[in-house]
Amino acid sequence: MDKTHTPPDWSLMQAFLAVADSGSLSAAAVQLRASQPTIGRQIKALEQQLGADLFQRHPRGLTLTEAGAGLVGPARTMAAAMQQAVLSAAGRQTDLNGTVRITASVMNATAHMPAIIAEMRAQEPQIEIELVPSDTSSNLLFREADIAVRMYRPTQLDLIAQHIGDIGFAAYAANSYLDRRGMPTVDTLTRHDVVGYDGQTDIIDGFRQAGINVDRHFFGVRCDDQLAYWQLVRAGCGIGFAQRTIGQADPTVTEIDLGFPIPPLPVWLTAHQAMRQTPRIRRVWDMLIDGLRPLVS
């Protein structure tokens, strides 16, 4: 068979997709944990095999040629098929030995997961745990994580999810702030400092639902990173919001009654359905439920 009709090796297609998505050999090398010369050789080999230039080289990186742009769709289909094969094979593993990758929000990963993982390791030392603190949604379909602890119900197909319960949420202010500005009331709330989010609109939406029409400029300090946000509240920058399990355990802050209810956060466990029955993932799933249930109502 002519070599131009031989299906491309997956590693070559993987390198092609990484360069197409990132626009450079160096970024693709970081993504694939390979060296830049290796990625360059793989792209050259694929171009030779297909008999077409896939990228145009520029001082600032690479752009797809017409032939390269036409290859992106089939390459993504191939990637999805390979990932499905990996998931299917992994789902048939029968022992507990191996790694389970868990993703959780930065706040949950910091405040709650360490104690839960310590108990997991004590019970099942043969299971290695990787923790991915992230406030973005990791793609369970592509094994960016095996199990996700999420504060919303997932809607993707091929995922299974279990609602563990709800974590209470409340308003807090540092004792130093209250000493300086006094305890807010429903009538004086808008004259107080409130720490808000930067890009997220959750707090603005909550105020508006309570009949208090504010925009982002109402919040003199804004931050989307949950750990940094909580430290701003603790330092006295203004009234802020946090899980009750975190606020009640902190003697430097006091819970504030804003005069309107603050909805709790749901806690969901999510995994790919092909992986859920893998023994070590099923075991970690069960231990996560045991560890999270004391935190929820």
Side-chain angles (χ1 to χ4, degrees):
M1 181 181 291
D2 189 290
K3 68 178 182 178
T4 59
H5 293 87
T6 302
D9 182 88
W10 166 237
S11 63
L12 304 185
M13 296 295 280
Q14 193 176 28
F16 165 74
L17 277 179
V19 175
D21 289 339
S22 65
S24 75
L25 295 176
S26 58
V30 171
Q31 178 181 329
L32 297 178
R33 299 180 182 179
S35 68
Q36 184 172 331
T38 296
I39 299 298
R41 286 193 297 271
Q42 289 175 320
I43 295 299
K44 185 176 181 180
L46 183 59
E47 289 178 326
Q48 290 176 342
Q49 186 173 355
L50 297 177
D53 291 333
L54 301 176
F55 295 97
Q56 292 179 339
R57 277 71 174 173
H58 302 286
R60 294 186 178 180
L62 296 93
T63 58
L64 289 164
T65 63
E66 183 177 351
L71 185 60
V72 170
R76 295 203 191 284
T77 299
M78 187 176 181
M82 288 295 295
Q83 289 297 331
Q84 189 60 42
V86 170
L87 285 169
S88 179
R92 293 187 176 92
Q93 295 174 5
T94 59
D95 59 34
L96 290 178
N97 294 317
T99 300
V100 176
R101 190 172 175 87
I102 304 169
T103 184
S105 70
V106 172
M107 183 60 80
N108 285 335
T110 303
H112 306 314
M113 292 305 299
I116 294 173
I117 290 173
E119 181 61 24
M120 287 180 184
R121 292 285 298 155
Q123 292 187 32
E124 304 291 356
Q126 68 272 48
I127 300 177
E128 300 171 19
I129 302 294
E130 294 176 347
L131 177 63
V132 185
S134 176
D135 290 324
T136 61
S137 295
S138 295
N139 194 332
L140 298 173
L141 302 182
F142 285 84
R143 297 295 303 278
E144 292 175 14
D146 295 310
I147 301 175
V149 181
R150 290 181 171 162
M151 315 308 281
Y152 59 89
R153 182 172 190 169
T155 57
Q156 288 175 286
L157 298 176
D158 299 325
L159 298 183
I160 60 171
Q162 181 174 346
H163 181 217
I164 307 303
D166 299 326
I167 289 183
F169 221 63
Y172 293 91
N175 298 329
S176 60
Y177 174 86
L178 297 176
D179 290 342
R180 185 173 74 253
R181 298 289 301 275
M183 180 67 72
T185 66
V186 175
D187 295 331
T188 65
L189 177 60
T190 56
R191 296 197 292 272
H192 276 266
D193 296 329
V194 181
V195 183
Y197 296 148
D198 183 18
Q200 301 176 39
T201 63
D202 297 20
I203 298 178
I204 290 176
D205 295 341
F207 270 91
R208 289 177 177 173
Q209 290 171 10
I212 304 173
N213 191 24
V214 299
D215 60 20
R216 71 192 310 270
H217 299 292
F218 172 71
F219 309 99
V221 177
R222 299 181 289 270
C223 180
D224 282 340
D225 183 283
Q226 292 296 306
L227 285 180
Y229 177 94
W230 182 238
Q231 293 305 317
L232 290 168
V233 175
R234 295 182 75 248
C237 292
I239 301 165
F241 303 87
Q243 298 176 23
R244 272 205 166 97
T245 53
I246 294 172
Q248 290 175 349
D250 193 328
T252 70
V253 300
T254 296
E255 185 172 338
I256 306 297
D257 181 3
L258 298 182
F260 56 85
I262 299 173
L265 291 176
V267 181
W268 290 83
L269 285 190
T270 308
H272 192 282
Q273 62 183 11
M275 297 296 296
R276 172 66 176 82
Q277 295 308 315
T278 303
R280 67 175 179 276
I281 292 179
R282 185 170 65 245
R283 180 69 178 119
V284 170
W285 179 285
D286 292 341
M287 288 189 290
L288 277 171
I289 292 174
D290 291 341
L292 290 167
R293 273 192 172 144
L295 305 174
V296 301
S297 57

CSV table of all heavy atoms in Angstrom, one decimal, residues 74-136:
chain,number,residue,atom,x,y,z
A,74,PRO,N,-11.5,15.8,11.0
A,74,PRO,CA,-11.2,14.4,11.1
A,74,PRO,C,-10.3,14.0,12.3
A,74,PRO,O,-10.4,13.0,12.9
A,74,PRO,CB,-10.6,14.0,9.8
A,74,PRO,CG,-11.1,15.0,8.8
A,74,PRO,CD,-11.3,16.3,9.6
A,75,ALA,N,-9.4,14.9,12.6
A,75,ALA,CA,-8.4,14.7,13.7
A,75,ALA,C,-9.2,14.7,15.0
A,75,ALA,O,-8.9,13.9,15.9
A,75,ALA,CB,-7.3,15.8,13.7
A,76,ARG,N,-10.1,15.6,15.2
A,76,ARG,CA,-10.9,15.7,16.4
A,76,ARG,C,-11.8,14.4,16.6
A,76,ARG,O,-12.0,13.9,17.7
A,76,ARG,CB,-11.8,16.9,16.5
A,76,ARG,CG,-11.0,18.2,16.5
A,76,ARG,CD,-11.8,19.4,17.1
A,76,ARG,NE,-11.1,20.6,17.0
A,76,ARG,CZ,-10.0,21.0,17.7
A,76,ARG,NH1,-9.6,20.2,18.6
A,76,ARG,NH2,-9.5,22.2,17.5
A,77,THR,N,-12.3,13.9,15.4
A,77,THR,CA,-13.1,12.7,15.5
A,77,THR,C,-12.2,11.5,15.9
A,77,THR,O,-12.6,10.7,16.7
A,77,THR,CB,-13.7,12.4,14.1
A,77,THR,OG1,-14.6,13.5,13.7
A,77,THR,CG2,-14.5,11.1,14.1
A,78,MET,N,-11.0,11.5,15.4
A,78,MET,CA,-10.1,10.5,15.8
A,78,MET,C,-9.7,10.6,17.3
A,78,MET,O,-9.6,9.6,18.0
A,78,MET,CB,-8.8,10.6,14.9
A,78,MET,CG,-7.8,9.5,15.1
A,78,MET,SD,-6.4,9.7,14.0
A,78,MET,CE,-5.4,8.2,14.4
A,79,ALA,N,-9.5,11.8,17.8
A,79,ALA,CA,-9.2,12.0,19.2
A,79,ALA,C,-10.3,11.5,20.1
A,79,ALA,O,-10.1,10.9,21.1
A,79,ALA,CB,-8.9,13.5,19.4
A,80,ALA,N,-11.6,11.8,19.7
A,80,ALA,CA,-12.7,11.4,20.5
A,80,ALA,C,-12.8,9.9,20.5
A,80,ALA,O,-13.1,9.3,21.5
A,80,ALA,CB,-14.0,12.0,19.9
A,81,ALA,N,-12.6,9.2,19.4
A,81,ALA,CA,-12.6,7.8,19.3
A,81,ALA,C,-11.5,7.2,20.2
A,81,ALA,O,-11.7,6.2,20.9
A,81,ALA,CB,-12.4,7.3,17.9
A,82,MET,N,-10.3,7.8,20.2
A,82,MET,CA,-9.2,7.3,21.0
A,82,MET,C,-9.5,7.4,22.5
A,82,MET,O,-9.3,6.5,23.3
A,82,MET,CB,-7.9,8.0,20.7
A,82,MET,CG,-7.3,7.7,19.3
A,82,MET,SD,-6.8,5.9,19.2
A,82,MET,CE,-5.5,5.9,20.4
A,83,GLN,N,-10.1,8.6,22.9
A,83,GLN,CA,-10.5,8.8,24.3
A,83,GLN,C,-11.5,7.8,24.7
A,83,GLN,O,-11.5,7.3,25.8
A,83,GLN,CB,-10.9,10.2,24.5
A,83,GLN,CG,-9.8,11.3,24.4
A,83,GLN,CD,-8.8,11.1,25.4
A,83,GLN,OE1,-9.1,10.6,26.5
A,83,GLN,NE2,-7.6,11.5,25.1
A,84,GLN,N,-12.5,7.5,23.8
A,84,GLN,CA,-13.5,6.6,24.2
A,84,GLN,C,-12.9,5.2,24.4
A,84,GLN,O,-13.3,4.4,25.3
A,84,GLN,CB,-14.6,6.5,23.1
A,84,GLN,CG,-15.8,5.7,23.5
A,84,GLN,CD,-16.6,6.3,24.7
A,84,GLN,OE1,-16.7,7.5,24.8
A,84,GLN,NE2,-17.0,5.4,25.6
A,85,ALA,N,-12.0,4.8,23.6
A,85,ALA,CA,-11.3,3.5,23.7
A,85,ALA,C,-10.5,3.5,25.0
A,85,ALA,O,-10.6,2.4,25.7
A,85,ALA,CB,-10.3,3.3,22.5
A,86,VAL,N,-9.9,4.6,25.4
A,86,VAL,CA,-9.1,4.6,26.7
A,86,VAL,C,-10.1,4.5,27.8
A,86,VAL,O,-9.8,3.7,28.8
A,86,VAL,CB,-8.3,5.9,26.8
A,86,VAL,CG1,-7.8,6.1,28.2
A,86,VAL,CG2,-7.2,6.0,25.7
A,87,LEU,N,-11.2,5.2,27.8
A,87,LEU,CA,-12.2,5.1,28.8
A,87,LEU,C,-12.8,3.7,29.0
A,87,LEU,O,-12.9,3.2,30.1
A,87,LEU,CB,-13.4,6.1,28.6
A,87,LEU,CG,-13.1,7.6,28.8
A,87,LEU,CD1,-14.2,8.4,28.3
A,87,LEU,CD2,-12.9,7.8,30.3
A,88,SER,N,-13.1,3.1,27.8
A,88,SER,CA,-13.6,1.8,27.9
A,88,SER,C,-12.6,0.8,28.5
A,88,SER,O,-13.0,-0.1,29.3
A,88,SER,CB,-14.0,1.3,26.4
A,88,SER,OG,-14.5,0.0,26.4
A,89,ALA,N,-11.4,0.9,28.1
A,89,ALA,CA,-10.4,0.0,28.6
A,89,ALA,C,-10.2,0.2,30.1
A,89,ALA,O,-10.1,-0.8,30.9
A,89,ALA,CB,-9.1,0.1,27.8
A,90,ALA,N,-10.1,1.5,30.5
A,90,ALA,CA,-9.9,1.8,31.9
A,90,ALA,C,-11.0,1.3,32.7
A,90,ALA,O,-10.9,0.8,33.9
A,90,ALA,CB,-9.6,3.3,32.1
A,91,GLY,N,-12.2,1.4,32.2
A,91,GLY,CA,-13.4,0.9,32.9
A,91,GLY,C,-13.5,-0.5,33.2
A,91,GLY,O,-14.2,-1.0,34.1
A,92,ARG,N,-12.6,-1.3,32.5
A,92,ARG,CA,-12.6,-2.8,32.7
A,92,ARG,C,-11.5,-3.2,33.7
A,92,ARG,O,-11.4,-4.4,33.9
A,92,ARG,CB,-12.5,-3.5,31.4
A,92,ARG,CG,-13.7,-3.3,30.5
A,92,ARG,CD,-13.5,-4.2,29.2
A,92,ARG,NE,-14.7,-4.1,28.4
A,92,ARG,CZ,-14.9,-3.2,27.4
A,92,ARG,NH1,-13.9,-2.4,27.2
A,92,ARG,NH2,-16.0,-3.2,26.7
A,93,GLN,N,-10.8,-2.3,34.2
A,93,GLN,CA,-9.8,-2.7,35.2
A,93,GLN,C,-10.4,-3.2,36.5
A,93,GLN,O,-11.5,-2.8,36.9
A,93,GLN,CB,-8.9,-1.4,35.6
A,93,GLN,CG,-8.1,-0.9,34.4
A,93,GLN,CD,-7.3,0.3,34.7
A,93,GLN,OE1,-7.3,0.8,35.8
A,93,GLN,NE2,-6.7,0.9,33.7
A,94,THR,N,-9.8,-4.2,37.1
A,94,THR,CA,-10.4,-4.9,38.2
A,94,THR,C,-9.8,-4.8,39.5
A,94,THR,O,-10.4,-5.3,40.5
A,94,THR,CB,-10.4,-6.4,37.8
A,94,THR,OG1,-9.1,-6.9,37.6
A,94,THR,CG2,-11.2,-6.7,36.5
A,95,ASP,N,-8.7,-4.1,39.7
A,95,ASP,CA,-8.1,-4.0,41.0
A,95,ASP,C,-8.1,-2.6,41.5
A,95,ASP,O,-8.4,-1.6,40.7
A,95,ASP,CB,-6.7,-4.6,41.1
A,95,ASP,CG,-5.7,-4.0,40.1
A,95,ASP,OD1,-5.9,-2.8,39.9
A,95,ASP,OD2,-4.9,-4.7,39.6
A,96,LEU,N,-7.7,-2.4,42.8
A,96,LEU,CA,-7.7,-1.0,43.4
A,96,LEU,C,-6.5,-0.3,43.1
A,96,LEU,O,-6.4,0.9,43.2
A,96,LEU,CB,-7.9,-1.1,44.9
A,96,LEU,CG,-9.3,-1.6,45.4
A,96,LEU,CD1,-9.3,-1.7,46.9
A,96,LEU,CD2,-10.4,-0.6,44.9
A,97,ASN,N,-5.4,-0.9,42.7
A,97,ASN,CA,-4.1,-0.3,42.4
A,97,ASN,C,-4.3,0.7,41.3
A,97,ASN,O,-4.9,0.4,40.2
A,97,ASN,CB,-3.0,-1.3,42.1
A,97,ASN,CG,-2.7,-2.2,43.3
A,97,ASN,OD1,-2.6,-1.7,44.4
A,97,ASN,ND2,-2.6,-3.5,43.0
A,98,GLY,N,-3.7,1.9,41.5
A,98,GLY,CA,-3.7,2.9,40.4
A,98,GLY,C,-4.0,4.3,41.0
A,98,GLY,O,-4.0,4.5,42.2
A,99,THR,N,-4.3,5.2,40.0
A,99,THR,CA,-4.5,6.6,40.4
A,99,THR,C,-5.9,7.1,40.1
A,99,THR,O,-6.5,6.6,39.1
A,99,THR,CB,-3.5,7.5,39.5
A,99,THR,OG1,-2.1,7.1,39.8
A,99,THR,CG2,-3.7,9.0,39.8
A,100,VAL,N,-6.4,7.9,41.0
A,100,VAL,CA,-7.7,8.5,40.7
A,100,VAL,C,-7.5,10.0,40.8
A,100,VAL,O,-6.9,10.5,41.8
A,100,VAL,CB,-8.8,8.1,41.8
A,100,VAL,CG1,-10.1,8.9,41.6
A,100,VAL,CG2,-9.0,6.6,41.7
A,101,ARG,N,-7.9,10.7,39.8
A,101,ARG,CA,-7.7,12.2,39.7
A,101,ARG,C,-9.1,12.9,40.0
A,101,ARG,O,-10.1,12.6,39.4
A,101,ARG,CB,-7.3,12.5,38.3
A,101,ARG,CG,-6.8,13.9,38.0
A,101,ARG,CD,-6.2,14.0,36.6
A,101,ARG,NE,-5.9,15.4,36.2
A,101,ARG,CZ,-4.7,15.9,36.5
A,101,ARG,NH1,-3.8,15.3,37.2
A,101,ARG,NH2,-4.4,17.2,36.1
A,102,ILE,N,-9.0,13.7,41.1
A,102,ILE,CA,-10.2,14.4,41.6
A,102,ILE,C,-10.1,15.9,41.3
A,102,ILE,O,-9.0,16.5,41.6
A,102,ILE,CB,-10.4,14.1,43.1
A,102,ILE,CG1,-10.5,12.7,43.4
A,102,ILE,CG2,-11.7,14.9,43.6
A,102,ILE,CD1,-10.4,12.4,44.9
A,103,THR,N,-11.1,16.5,40.8
A,103,THR,CA,-11.1,18.0,40.7
A,103,THR,C,-12.2,18.5,41.5
A,103,THR,O,-13.3,18.0,41.7
A,103,THR,CB,-11.3,18.4,39.2
A,103,THR,OG1,-11.2,19.8,39.1
A,103,THR,CG2,-12.7,18.0,38.7
A,104,ALA,N,-11.9,19.7,42.2
A,104,ALA,CA,-12.8,20.4,43.0
A,104,ALA,C,-12.5,21.8,43.0
A,104,ALA,O,-11.4,22.2,42.5
A,104,ALA,CB,-12.7,19.9,44.5
A,105,SER,N,-13.5,22.7,43.3
A,105,SER,CA,-13.2,24.1,43.3
A,105,SER,C,-12.0,24.4,44.2
A,105,SER,O,-11.7,23.6,45.1
A,105,SER,CB,-14.4,24.9,43.9
A,105,SER,OG,-14.6,24.6,45.3
A,106,VAL,N,-11.4,25.6,44.0
A,106,VAL,CA,-10.2,25.9,44.8
A,106,VAL,C,-10.5,26.0,46.2
A,106,VAL,O,-9.8,25.5,47.1
A,106,VAL,CB,-9.7,27.3,44.3
A,106,VAL,CG1,-8.6,27.8,45.2
A,106,VAL,CG2,-9.2,27.2,42.8
A,107,MET,N,-11.7,26.5,46.6
A,107,MET,CA,-12.0,26.6,48.0
A,107,MET,C,-12.3,25.3,48.6
A,107,MET,O,-11.8,24.9,49.7
A,107,MET,CB,-13.3,27.5,48.2
A,107,MET,CG,-13.7,27.7,49.6
A,107,MET,SD,-12.4,28.5,50.6
A,107,MET,CE,-12.6,30.3,50.1
A,108,ASN,N,-13.0,24.4,47.9
A,108,ASN,CA,-13.3,23.1,48.5
A,108,ASN,C,-12.0,22.2,48.5
A,108,ASN,O,-11.8,21.5,49.5
A,108,ASN,CB,-14.3,22.4,47.6
A,108,ASN,CG,-15.7,22.9,47.9
A,108,ASN,OD1,-16.0,23.4,49.0
A,108,ASN,ND2,-16.6,22.7,46.9
A,109,ALA,N,-11.2,22.4,47.5
A,109,ALA,CA,-9.9,21.6,47.5
A,109,ALA,C,-9.0,22.0,48.6
A,109,ALA,O,-8.2,21.2,49.1
A,109,ALA,CB,-9.2,21.9,46.1
A,110,THR,N,-9.1,23.3,49.0
A,110,THR,CA,-8.2,23.8,50.1
A,110,THR,C,-8.8,23.5,51.5
A,110,THR,O,-8.2,23.0,52.4
A,110,THR,CB,-8.0,25.3,50.0
A,110,THR,OG1,-7.5,25.6,48.7
A,110,THR,CG2,-7.1,25.8,51.0
A,111,ALA,N,-10.2,23.8,51.6
A,111,ALA,CA,-10.8,23.7,52.9
A,111,ALA,C,-11.2,22.3,53.3
A,111,ALA,O,-11.1,21.9,54.5
A,111,ALA,CB,-12.0,24.6,53.0
A,112,HIS,N,-11.7,21.5,52.4
A,112,HIS,CA,-12.3,20.2,52.7
A,112,HIS,C,-11.5,19.0,52.3
A,112,HIS,O,-11.5,17.9,52.9
A,112,HIS,CB,-13.7,20.2,52.2
A,112,HIS,CG,-14.6,21.3,52.6
A,112,HIS,ND1,-14.6,21.8,53.9
A,112,HIS,CD2,-15.4,22.1,51.9
A,112,HIS,CE1,-15.4,22.8,54.0
A,112,HIS,NE2,-15.9,23.0,52.8
A,113,MET,N,-11.0,19.1,51.1
A,113,MET,CA,-10.4,17.9,50.5
A,113,MET,C,-9.2,17.3,51.2
A,113,MET,O,-9.0,16.0,51.2
A,113,MET,CB,-10.1,18.1,49.0
A,113,MET,CG,-11.3,18.3,48.1
A,113,MET,SD,-12.5,17.0,48.2
A,113,MET,CE,-11.5,15.6,47.6
A,114,PRO,N,-8.3,18.1,51.7
A,114,PRO,CA,-7.1,17.5,52.4
A,114,PRO,C,-7.4,16.4,53.4
A,114,PRO,O,-6.9,15.4,53.5
A,114,PRO,CB,-6.4,18.7,53.0
A,114,PRO,CG,-6.7,19.8,52.0
A,114,PRO,CD,-8.2,19.6,51.7
A,115,ALA,N,-8.4,16.8,54.3
A,115,ALA,CA,-8.8,15.8,55.4
A,115,ALA,C,-9.4,14.6,54.8
A,115,ALA,O,-9.2,13.4,55.3
A,115,ALA,CB,-9.7,16.5,56.4
A,116,ILE,N,-10.2,14.8,53.8
A,116,ILE,CA,-10.9,13.6,53.1
A,116,ILE,C,-9.9,12.7,52.4
A,116,ILE,O,-10.0,11.5,52.5
A,116,ILE,CB,-12.0,14.1,52.1
A,116,ILE,CG1,-13.1,14.9,52.9
A,116,ILE,CG2,-12.5,13.0,51.3
A,116,ILE,CD1,-14.1,15.6,52.0
A,117,ILE,N,-8.9,13.3,51.8
A,117,ILE,CA,-7.9,12.6,51.1
A,117,ILE,C,-7.0,11.8,52.0
A,117,ILE,O,-6.6,10.7,51.8
A,117,ILE,CB,-7.1,13.5,50.1
A,117,ILE,CG1,-8.0,13.9,48.9
A,117,ILE,CG2,-5.9,12.7,49.6
A,117,ILE,CD1,-7.4,14.9,48.0
A,118,ALA,N,-6.7,12.5,53.2
A,118,ALA,CA,-5.9,11.8,54.2
A,118,ALA,C,-6.6,10.5,54.7
A,118,ALA,O,-5.9,9.5,54.9
A,118,ALA,CB,-5.6,12.8,55.3
A,119,GLU,N,-7.9,10.6,54.9
A,119,GLU,CA,-8.6,9.4,55.3
A,119,GLU,C,-8.6,8.4,54.2
A,119,GLU,O,-8.5,7.2,54.5
A,119,GLU,CB,-10.0,9.8,55.7
A,119,GLU,CG,-10.9,8.7,56.2
A,119,GLU,CD,-10.4,8.0,57.4
A,119,GLU,OE1,-9.6,8.7,58.2
A,119,GLU,OE2,-10.7,6.8,57.7
A,120,MET,N,-8.8,8.8,53.0
A,120,MET,CA,-8.7,7.9,51.8
A,120,MET,C,-7.4,7.1,51.8
A,120,MET,O,-7.4,5.9,51.7
A,120,MET,CB,-8.8,8.6,50.5
A,120,MET,CG,-10.2,9.1,50.2
A,120,MET,SD,-10.1,10.0,48.6
A,120,MET,CE,-11.8,10.6,48.5
A,121,ARG,N,-6.3,7.8,52.0
A,121,ARG,CA,-5.0,7.2,51.9
A,121,ARG,C,-4.8,6.2,53.1
A,121,ARG,O,-4.1,5.2,53.0
A,121,ARG,CB,-3.9,8.3,51.9
A,121,ARG,CG,-3.9,9.1,50.6
A,121,ARG,CD,-3.3,8.3,49.5
A,121,ARG,NE,-1.9,8.0,49.8
A,121,ARG,CZ,-1.3,6.9,49.3
A,121,ARG,NH1,-1.9,6.1,48.5
A,121,ARG,NH2,0.0,6.7,49.6
A,122,ALA,N,-5.4,6.6,54.2
A,122,ALA,CA,-5.3,5.7,55.4
A,122,ALA,C,-6.0,4.4,55.2
A,122,ALA,O,-5.6,3.3,55.6
A,122,ALA,CB,-5.8,6.4,56.7
A,123,GLN,N,-7.2,4.5,54.5
A,123,GLN,CA,-8.0,3.3,54.3
A,123,GLN,C,-7.5,2.5,53.1
A,123,GLN,O,-7.6,1.3,53.1
A,123,GLN,CB,-9.4,3.7,54.0
A,123,GLN,CG,-10.1,4.3,55.3
A,123,GLN,CD,-11.6,4.5,55.0
A,123,GLN,OE1,-12.3,3.8,54.3
A,123,GLN,NE2,-12.2,5.6,55.6
A,124,GLU,N,-7.1,3.2,52.0
A,124,GLU,CA,-6.7,2.5,50.8
A,124,GLU,C,-5.4,3.0,50.3
A,124,GLU,O,-5.3,3.8,49.3
A,124,GLU,CB,-7.8,2.7,49.7
A,124,GLU,CG,-9.2,2.3,50.1
A,124,GLU,CD,-9.3,0.7,50.3
A,124,GLU,OE1,-8.3,0.0,50.0
A,124,GLU,OE2,-10.4,0.3,50.7
A,125,PRO,N,-4.3,2.7,50.9
A,125,PRO,CA,-3.0,3.3,50.5
A,125,PRO,C,-2.5,2.9,49.1
A,125,PRO,O,-1.6,3.5,48.5
A,125,PRO,CB,-2.0,2.7,51.6
A,125,PRO,CG,-2.7,1.5,52.1
A,125,PRO,CD,-4.1,1.8,52.0
A,126,GLN,N,-3.1,1.8,48.5
A,126,GLN,CA,-2.7,1.4,47.2
A,126,GLN,C,-3.3,2.3,46.1
A,126,GLN,O,-2.9,2.2,44.9
A,126,GLN,CB,-3.1,0.0,46.9
A,126,GLN,CG,-4.6,-0.3,46.8
A,126,GLN,CD,-5.2,-0.6,48.2
A,126,GLN,OE1,-5.0,0.1,49.1
A,126,GLN,NE2,-6.0,-1.7,48.2
A,127,ILE,N,-4.3,3.2,46.5
A,127,ILE,CA,-4.9,4.1,45.5
A,127,ILE,C,-4.1,5.5,45.6
A,127,ILE,O,-4.1,6.1,46.7
A,127,ILE,CB,-6.4,4.3,45.8
A,127,ILE,CG1,-7.1,3.0,45.7
A,127,ILE,CG2,-6.9,5.3,44.8
A,127,ILE,CD1,-8.6,3.1,46.0
A,128,GLU,N,-3.5,5.9,44.5
A,128,GLU,CA,-2.9,7.2,44.5
A,128,GLU,C,-3.9,8.3,44.1
A,128,GLU,O,-4.8,8.0,43.2
A,128,GLU,CB,-1.7,7.2,43.5
A,128,GLU,CG,-0.7,6.1,43.8
A,128,GLU,CD,0.3,6.0,42.6
A,128,GLU,OE1,0.4,6.9,41.8
A,128,GLU,OE2,1.0,4.9,42.6
A,129,ILE,N,-3.8,9.4,44.7
A,129,ILE,CA,-4.8,10.5,44.5
A,129,ILE,C,-4.1,11.7,43.9
A,129,ILE,O,-3.1,12.2,44.4
A,129,ILE,CB,-5.5,10.9,45.8
A,129,ILE,CG1,-6.2,9.7,46.5
A,129,ILE,CG2,-6.5,12.0,45.6
A,129,ILE,CD1,-7.4,9.1,45.7
A,130,GLU,N,-4.7,12.2,42.8
A,130,GLU,CA,-4.3,13.5,42.3
A,130,GLU,C,-5.4,14.5,42.5
A,130,GLU,O,-6.6,14.2,42.1
A,130,GLU,CB,-3.9,13.3,40.8
A,130,GLU,CG,-2.7,12.5,40.5
A,130,GLU,CD,-2.5,12.2,39.1
A,130,GLU,OE1,-3.3,12.6,38.2
A,130,GLU,OE2,-1.4,11.7,38.8
A,131,LEU,N,-5.1,15.6,43.1
A,131,LEU,CA,-6.1,16.6,43.4
A,131,LEU,C,-5.9,17.8,42.4
A,131,LEU,O,-4.8,18.4,42.4
A,131,LEU,CB,-6.1,17.1,44.8
A,131,LEU,CG,-7.0,18.2,45.2
A,131,LEU,CD1,-8.5,17.8,45.1
A,131,LEU,CD2,-6.8,18.7,46.7
A,132,VAL,N,-6.9,18.2,41.7
A,132,VAL,CA,-6.9,19.3,40.8
A,132,VAL,C,-7.8,20.4,41.3
A,132,VAL,O,-9.0,20.4,41.0
A,132,VAL,CB,-7.3,18.9,39.4
A,132,VAL,CG1,-7.1,20.0,38.4
A,132,VAL,CG2,-6.5,17.7,38.9
A,133,PRO,N,-7.2,21.4,42.0
A,133,PRO,CA,-8.1,22.6,42.4
A,133,PRO,C,-8.4,23.5,41.2
A,133,PRO,O,-7.4,24.0,40.5
A,133,PRO,CB,-7.2,23.3,43.4
A,133,PRO,CG,-6.1,22.4,43.8
A,133,PRO,CD,-5.9,21.6,42.5
A,134,SER,N,-9.6,23.7,40.9
A,134,SER,CA,-9.9,24.5,39.7
A,134,SER,C,-11.4,24.9,39.8
A,134,SER,O,-12.3,24.2,40.2
A,134,SER,CB,-9.8,23.6,38.4
A,134,SER,OG,-10.2,24.4,37.3
A,135,ASP,N,-11.6,26.2,39.5
A,135,ASP,CA,-12.9,26.8,39.4
A,135,ASP,C,-13.5,26.7,38.0
A,135,ASP,O,-14.6,27.3,37.8
A,135,ASP,CB,-12.9,28.2,39.9
A,135,ASP,CG,-12.7,28.3,41.4
A,135,ASP,OD1,-13.2,27.4,42.1
A,135,ASP,OD2,-12.0,29.2,41.9
A,136,THR,N,-12.8,26.0,37.1
A,136,THR,CA,-13.4,25.8,35.8
A,136,THR,C,-13.8,24.3,35.7
A,136,THR,O,-13.3,23.5,36.5
A,136,THR,CB,-12.3,26.1,34.7
A,136,THR,OG1,-11.2,25.3,34.8
A,136,THR,CG2,-11.9,27.6,34.7
